Amino acid sequence: MSFGPPPSVYTQSALAADRTARERRRRKVLGALAVLVVGGLCAGGWLVSSAGDDSAAADGRPAPVVQSPDDIRETVEKVPGSPEGRLMIEHNEENLAKSTETNPRYAPGTWATGKILARGVADRIEGYRIKPRYDETAWTLQLGGHLCATSRHVTADGRTAVVIQPPKSAGSEHEGVCDQVVFVDLNTGRKLWQKKMPAAQFAYVTNTDLTLTKGVVAVAWGRGSVAYDMKDGRQLWNSTTLSRCEDKGFAGGRALLALVSCGEATDATYKVQRLDPRTGKPQWTYQVARGVQGVYLPSSDPPVLAVAAGDSAATDLISLDDKGRRRAAMSLGGYDAKCGVRYSFSPFFGTTENCDGLVVGRDQAYVMSKENIANDQPSDWIVAFDLKTGRSQAKFEGREMQMVYPLRTSGDDLLIYRRGAGTIAPAAVVSWNPRTDKETPYLLFQLPEDDEYELSDPEQTDIVFERGRVFFGRRELARDDDAPKDPVLSTIGLGSAGLTH
């Protein structure tokens, strides 16, 4: 098998995708038309520019435009009254005796609101109430099938979507197919709607991508794509016709970009299109240069591409203007954007938007460097690149034995996670102003010593900062071989000791 997960509930999905690829190659030899099917974050206060549960005010900062409930949430954090961290959530996963490192229980998706930390685990989503030193599962939503694709995006009023793999009988023609979209209220755990994707018999855990933009949920799986209205799940548009060019994935948020691949995998060309989310009609098209082996879309507005040119890892960033014209290119030599490196480089649960070493703001892209192992020097650093010129503008240095990772923007500042150094120095979330080079501590805390390495690795763990709290959610859960029946730490969350509510 050329790709796929280790033996697990997803194996049939990967096997089915592989069989499809082999059959496609055979048809090409026979001269028939072939179609590509491949995988393609506790403050004393905060401000979420939204209506709903996440609304608040921040003193001393420019007020952003108020968001509607259907907008994709953009939270502006406020400096906490105290950066001293305290435990808010510590949740363990049970019954992992059959789950090993080669056959883990997958846990894709970590989302936070003001009240709930929600986690996707296997065939369910669980909501944990955020309270100091209090582990309470507020709700559990059984999905009726294993998770196949998730998105980091959450609406301003706390909703998100997932794609699931409904169970099929062994040997069934559609065994392993991921063809159901579920829209969920994260505050209550209520399923708002569920829809079957049209003509999605080739949608698998290895090639299905999901995103959200204002009022719209969009899914692509290579041979097709579909968009739904958030309000009621009404289908807005779909593309399922056989064509030489196919929607490989989407990037959402403020806008909707489509990554389109044309031709066979070994000689594919790519283009990026901005779509009208309500109709699916292209508004502009950017043609990616030939020879590029892969494309990621870390930001839709401003539009930014991370391309792999002559390598499997991202080698360059390309920024576009609002008409889809090229603005600047930035070489990633010496940097580690971490695009597509989750799940041991297997394209599970959606990859198009996932670059865990890269954050894009309104005017700058923030990229972490590769690890530096020299003594008496920072273990790594983050550089801010100007999206208009491509030039580096500012640099945030980590510390020796304390790597730093970009999390997300907060207004025009960057939120950064800095790893701890055992008893020498605590872990931290800080805010960095690249214009003034000012660093502001938000949270200082210690992670459990036995779990610190994995929890601090963005290739293995979701690290989410939201409303002054930081959450760590492991993506793969496996038993401790020394105590295979014991629960295993799945999620931990920390907030400010100065929190009053």
Side-chain angles (χ1 to χ4, degrees):
M1 187 169 70
S2 60
F3 63 95
S8 72
V9 68
Y10 295 106
T11 301
Q12 289 304 320
S13 186
L15 285 170
D18 199 39
R19 287 195 300 270
T20 300
R22 290 199 302 270
E23 177 64 18
R24 185 180 68 248
R25 290 192 291 270
R26 188 183 71 84
R27 290 198 303 271
K28 182 181 179 183
V29 172
L30 295 175
L33 176 66
V35 182
L36 185 65
V37 184
V38 295
L41 303 121
C42 277
W46 51 84
L47 176 61
V48 181
S49 48
S50 68
D53 124 279
D54 287 346
S55 297
D59 299 332
R61 288 184 181 261
V65 176
V66 174
Q67 293 184 288
S68 71
D70 279 350
D71 283 329
I72 303 307
R73 183 182 61 194
E74 297 183 45
T75 312
V76 179
E77 302 286 344
K78 183 183 177 182
V79 180
S82 168
E84 179 186 354
R86 66 170 170 176
L87 188 65
M88 306 296 287
I89 288 176
E90 184 174 11
H91 188 80
N92 298 318
E93 183 74 1
E94 299 180 340
N95 303 315
L96 287 170
K98 296 182 179 180
S99 299
T100 64
E101 289 187 2
T102 58
N103 181 27
R105 182 175 299 171
Y106 289 107
T110 303
W111 311 273
T113 71
K115 301 175 182 177
I116 295 292
L117 186 279
R119 290 270 284 143
V121 182
D123 60 354
R124 68 190 189 276
I125 302 176
E126 292 188 343
Y128 313 129
R129 200 176 308 281
I130 303 171
K131 286 187 176 182
R133 298 187 177 276
Y134 194 71
D135 180 11
E136 178 190 348
T137 301
W139 52 261
T140 299
L141 176 62
Q142 297 292 344
L143 294 168
H146 279 74
L147 287 156
C148 279
T150 65
S151 170
R152 70 176 185 269
H153 296 303
V154 177
T155 64
D157 63 352
R159 295 168 293 157
T160 195
V162 297
V163 175
I164 66 168
Q165 177 191 100
K168 300 288 194 305
S169 58
S172 166
E173 179 183 357
H174 298 307
E175 185 181 8
V177 169
C178 304
D179 61 358
Q180 300 271 332
V181 185
V182 182
F183 199 51
V184 182
D185 186 325
L186 297 172
N187 285 302
T188 64
R190 186 165 65 95
K191 181 192 299 183
L192 300 174
W193 49 259
Q194 180 169 347
K195 299 293 179 179
K196 183 174 181 179
M197 291 146 50
Q201 62 268 34
F202 299 107
Y204 306 112
V205 68
T206 52
N207 68 342
T208 302
D209 267 89
L210 163 76
T211 197
L212 284 71
T213 189
K214 183 175 181 176
V216 175
V217 176
V219 189
W221 58 94
R223 284 199 181 183
S225 59
V226 65
Y228 299 97
D229 191 313
M230 285 183 180
K231 183 177 181 180
D232 53 13
R234 174 174 55 92
Q235 183 177 305
L236 298 174
W237 50 269
N238 77 87
S239 174
T240 56
T241 58
L242 291 178
S243 169
R244 183 175 174 275
C245 296
E246 302 164 337
D247 292 335
K248 182 180 176 71
F250 293 123
R254 301 187 192 114
L256 183 63
L257 295 187
L259 173 61
V260 182
S261 63
C262 301
E264 281 295 309
T266 55
D267 192 34
T269 60
Y270 298 92
K271 56 186 176 181
V272 175
Q273 296 181 322
R274 177 163 176 163
L275 306 183
D276 181 324
R278 308 296 299 184
T279 67
K281 301 296 183 183
Q283 298 175 327
W284 52 251
T285 299
Y286 173 79
Q287 185 69 50
V288 180
R290 280 190 171 273
V292 167
Q293 297 180 356
V295 180
Y296 300 88
L297 303 177
S299 174
S300 65
D301 182 12
V304 174
L305 292 62
V307 301
D311 198 341
S312 59
T315 57
D316 300 270
L317 292 182
I318 299 173
S319 60
L320 308 179
D321 66 15
D322 58 2
K323 302 295 184 182
R325 298 170 298 203
R326 180 170 170 148
R327 300 173 75 189
M330 293 142 275
S331 171
L332 293 177
Y335 297 92
D336 188 5
K338 296 187 180 297
C339 297
V341 299
R342 299 176 178 178
Y343 308 102
S344 301
F345 293 90
S346 297
F348 299 164
F349 309 111
T351 62
T352 302
E353 294 182 281
N354 296 336
C355 292
D356 294 312
L358 165 65
V359 168
V360 178
R362 291 280 186 179
D363 304 304
Q364 295 172 314
Y366 306 93
V367 194
M368 65 177 288
S369 73
K370 293 182 178 179
E371 185 174 5
N372 176 30
I373 61 174
N375 292 331
D376 300 320
Q377 293 184 21
S379 290
D380 76 330
W381 47 88
I382 296 169
V383 173
F385 289 94
D386 188 297
L387 293 177
K388 185 180 295 184
T389 66
R391 298 191 184 101
S392 59
Q393 291 189 315
K395 179 181 180 182
F396 183 91
E397 292 190 341
R399 300 173 180 174
E400 186 176 11
M401 299 188 297
Q402 290 187 268
M403 292 187 70
V404 288
Y405 307 97
L407 295 181
R408 65 168 175 85
T409 56
S410 173
D412 290 328
D413 296 345
L414 178 68
L415 298 177
I416 296 170
Y417 171 61
R418 181 167 58 220
R419 294 184 64 160
T423 59
I424 299 173
V429 173
V430 302
S431 176
W432 177 49
N433 184 322
R435 300 164 301 285
T436 65
D437 198 32
K438 181 181 179 181
E439 172 187 339
T440 304
Y442 275 37
L443 284 178
L444 305 173
F445 52 92
Q446 295 281 357
L447 291 173
E449 182 179 358
D450 292 343
D451 303 286
E452 192 276 338
Y453 179 82
E454 183 179 342
L455 292 176
S456 292
D457 183 359
E459 295 182 17
Q460 303 183 69
T461 297
D462 292 331
I463 307 175
V464 175
F465 193 89
E466 183 63 33
R467 296 190 65 156
R469 302 163 176 131
V470 64
F471 305 95
F472 299 81
R474 285 172 159 163
R475 298 191 188 107
E476 298 181 35
L477 304 172
R479 72 185 186 205
D480 181 343
D481 286 338
D482 293 332
K485 294 184 178 181
D486 286 359
V488 170
L489 179 63
S490 167
T491 304
I492 192 167
L494 302 109
S496 171
L499 188 69
T500 59
H501 63 283

